């Protein structure tokens, strides 16, 4: 106690020795410390709010708010009644309560191939085709939603009816609407188009797909003709070649410590050539057939009056007769001809010429190059 009493007396004496301005400053500082501690304690005691549901429609928000009020759970509504936040400790119980009340949490996902888990005995081919197209659209939406820059997507495919003749076949059409978190790049848009075209059926191609955002921005619009699509791809290829060449030249200049501007123009040959050369040889024998023919003929001499010699039996040669024999043979061989085909194809896109324009920034100093001197040997 004696120590505390002495400490208090020392503090009082020090306080009396201070000037009025020093006392005011110490009082204000003490009051600020007390307020800061009080605010920290107050806000520290407040619960941390987390997102319970987002991307809500007005009807879904009203249903969730009714359940929250029945459970006496505090909540906050943000982003134009599209996001509802609750204390972190109440999020899990409220998810269970909403599930028991069968209240959807935000945008419902389009069903995919799970549509075929249950079959109806009253179904028919038309309903199966409709469900199949719904399943394809749902699977495409799942693929698009898995991308990091897509918040959610909506896909609508108008499938063309199958025709008997290819000349009468009409293409399918697809419309894709995306809610994006960031602007997609050209490679991202190409990937989107290829994903939709690959999964949308055999009659859907990139020329019949339209991609827009929920803000109305057109990300991909099919060209008006096939020639325009081909021209756009060629221009993109040339621009990419020029960009790479400019980057390589700039890197070389920077490594030398030179600053400048580079412009590159490329001349690209898009002609496609294909040459085919065929050579035939005798090849290996497949079959062989040999035919032999033997022919014997007898010519009798003229005979006189009927008698013993004239009435000889057939097949015997009379005296003085002529007998002729003829033998022939033929061999037929069949060969399988050997065929050698050489095909040479020149792919389009070969660079024929680069035109480079280079502007280098001058330093203003001119260096002199020393001349090499020749030393003459000193003669003795």
């Amino acid at each position: 106690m004696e120590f505390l009493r002495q400490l208090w007396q020392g503090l009082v004496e020090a306080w009396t020795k201070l000037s009025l301005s020093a006392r005011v400053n110490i009082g204000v500082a003490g009051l600020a410390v007390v307020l800061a501690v009080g605010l920290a304690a107050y806000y520290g005691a407040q619960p941390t709010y987390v997102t319970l549901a987002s991307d809500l429609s007005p009807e879904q928000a009203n249903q969730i708010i009714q359940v929250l009020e029945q459970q006496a759970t505090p909540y906050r509504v943000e982003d134009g009644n599209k996001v509802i936040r609750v204390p972190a400790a109440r999020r899990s119980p409220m998810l269970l309560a909403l599930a028991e009340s069968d209240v959807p949490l935000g945008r419902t996902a389009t069903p995919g191939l799970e549509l075929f888990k249950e079959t109806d005995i009253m179904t028919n081919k038309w309903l199966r085709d409709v469900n199949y197209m719904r399943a394809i659209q749902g699977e495409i939406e799942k693929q698009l939603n898995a991308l990091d820059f897509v918040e959610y997507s909506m896909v609508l495919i108008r499938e063309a009816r199958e025709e008997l003749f290819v000349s009468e076949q009409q293409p399918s059409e697809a419309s894709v609407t995306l809610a994006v978190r960031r602007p997609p790049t050209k490679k991202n848009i190409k990937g989107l188009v290829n994903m939709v075209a690959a999964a949308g059926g055999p009659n859907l191609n990139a020329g019949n797909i339209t991609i827009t955002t929920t803000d109305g921005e057109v990300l991909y619009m099919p060209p008006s003709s096939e020639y325009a699509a081909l021209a756009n791809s060629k221009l993109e290829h040339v621009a990419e070649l020029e960009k790479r060449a400019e980057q390589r030249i700039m890197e070389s200049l920077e490594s030398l410590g030179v600053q400048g501007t580079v412009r590159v123009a490329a001349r690209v040959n898009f002609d496609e050539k294909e040459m085919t050369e065929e050579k035939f040889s005798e090849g290996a024998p497949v079959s062989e057939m040999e035919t032999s023919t033997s022919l014997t003929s007898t010519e009798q001499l003229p005979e006189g009056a009927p008698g013993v010699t004239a009435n000889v039996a057939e097949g015997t040669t009379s005296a003085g007769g002529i007998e002729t024999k003829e033998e022939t043979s033929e061999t037929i061989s069949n060969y399988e001809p050997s065929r050698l085909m050489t095909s040479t194809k020149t792919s389009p896109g070969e660079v024929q010429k680069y035109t480079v324009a280079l502007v280098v920034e001058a330093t203003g100093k001119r260096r002199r190059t020393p001349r090499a001197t020749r030393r003459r040997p000193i003669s003795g």
Side-chain angles (χ1 to χ4, degrees):
M1 296 295 294
E2 183 65 22
F3 172 74
L4 296 176
R5 187 179 64 80
Q6 293 178 359
L7 180 61
W8 176 255
Q9 288 180 355
L11 293 175
V12 171
E13 291 177 359
W15 178 262
T16 56
K17 292 179 181 180
L18 294 175
S19 62
L20 180 60
S21 60
R23 294 177 183 179
V24 172
N25 292 335
I26 293 175
V28 172
L31 182 60
V33 171
V34 172
L35 289 176
V37 172
L39 291 175
Y42 174 77
Y43 285 105
Q46 295 294 323
T48 302
Y49 280 76
V50 295
T51 301
L52 176 65
S54 61
D55 195 16
L56 299 172
S57 63
E59 295 79 10
Q60 293 173 345
N62 292 333
Q63 293 177 2
I64 294 176
I65 290 174
Q66 290 178 4
V67 176
L68 293 175
E69 292 177 350
Q70 292 175 1
Q71 299 290 332
T73 300
Y75 63 89
R76 294 177 181 174
V77 180
E78 301 176 356
D79 194 14
N81 296 333
K82 293 184 179 180
V83 178
I84 296 180
R85 302 168 65 86
V86 296
R90 295 291 299 166
R91 185 175 185 273
S92 296
M94 291 313 305
L95 288 176
L96 295 176
L98 292 174
E100 292 176 357
S101 302
D102 196 17
V103 176
L105 295 178
R107 183 178 300 275
T108 57
T110 303
L113 295 177
E114 58 268 17
L115 285 172
F116 296 95
K117 289 183 178 180
E118 298 180 1
T119 57
D120 189 0
I121 60 174
M122 300 300 295
T123 187
N124 53 32
K125 185 180 183 302
W126 183 81
L127 289 176
R128 287 196 302 269
D129 293 342
V130 171
N131 287 335
Y132 176 74
M133 186 49 58
R134 289 179 57 199
I136 293 299
Q137 293 175 173
E139 293 297 326
I140 295 177
E141 290 183 7
K142 291 178 183 179
Q143 292 182 6
L144 298 180
N145 295 341
L147 301 175
D148 60 344
F149 60 90
V150 177
E151 185 174 352
Y152 64 88
S153 61
M154 292 175 288
V155 179
L156 179 61
I157 299 178
R158 186 193 65 81
E159 187 181 19
R161 185 179 61 180
E162 291 289 341
E163 300 292 345
L164 180 60
F165 300 100
V166 178
S167 59
E168 299 178 358
Q169 181 63 54
Q170 297 295 324
S172 301
E173 297 178 353
S175 174
V176 181
T177 304
L178 302 176
V180 295
R181 298 186 178 94
R182 61 168 177 82
T185 62
K186 291 185 177 180
K187 291 184 178 180
N188 296 147
I189 297 175
K190 281 188 176 180
L192 293 174
V193 174
N194 292 334
M195 290 171 62
V196 177
N203 298 322
L204 181 63
N205 52 57
N208 299 301
I209 299 175
T210 304
I211 302 178
T212 58
T213 65
T214 53
D215 298 331
E217 180 183 359
V218 178
L219 298 179
Y220 179 80
M221 181 68 69
S224 57
S225 63
E226 184 178 358
Y227 175 78
L230 186 61
N232 290 336
S233 62
K234 289 181 179 180
L235 290 176
E236 291 177 0
H237 178 67
V238 174
E240 185 67 22
L241 291 175
E242 294 174 349
K243 182 179 179 181
R244 291 180 181 178
E246 291 175 357
Q247 290 178 352
R248 289 196 297 267
I249 296 175
M250 289 300 299
E251 291 175 358
S252 300
L253 293 178
E254 291 177 357
S255 64
L256 297 175
V258 179
Q259 296 182 356
T261 302
V262 180
R263 290 294 180 268
V264 177
R267 183 194 297 175
V268 183
N269 183 15
F270 290 101
D271 295 337
E272 183 176 358
K273 298 180 180 179
E274 184 173 2
M275 299 177 61
T276 303
E277 181 181 358
E278 294 185 0
K279 293 182 179 180
F280 295 91
S281 59
E282 186 177 84
V286 177
S287 62
E288 186 175 0
M289 183 180 65
E290 184 175 353
T291 305
S292 299
T293 305
S294 178
L295 179 62
T296 303
S297 62
T298 302
E299 183 179 356
Q300 296 181 354
L301 295 175
E303 299 178 356
V308 177
T309 305
N311 295 329
V312 295
E314 294 183 2
T316 61
T317 305
S318 60
I322 300 174
E323 183 179 2
T324 305
K325 291 184 179 181
E326 181 180 357
E327 294 183 358
T328 59
S329 62
E330 182 180 5
T331 302
I332 300 177
S333 299
N334 294 325
Y335 291 87
E336 178 69 22
S338 179
R339 179 183 180 186
L340 177 62
M341 178 181 294
T342 303
S343 179
T344 304
K345 184 176 182 180
T346 304
S347 300
E350 180 182 359
V351 180
Q352 294 181 335
K353 181 180 179 182
Y354 278 113
T355 303
V356 181
L358 175 61
V359 179
V360 179
E361 182 178 354
T363 58
K365 297 180 180 180
R366 181 177 299 176
R367 297 181 180 179
R368 294 183 178 180
T369 303
R371 297 182 179 179
T373 58
R374 297 181 61 186
R375 296 182 180 181
R376 297 182 179 179
I378 301 175
S379 60

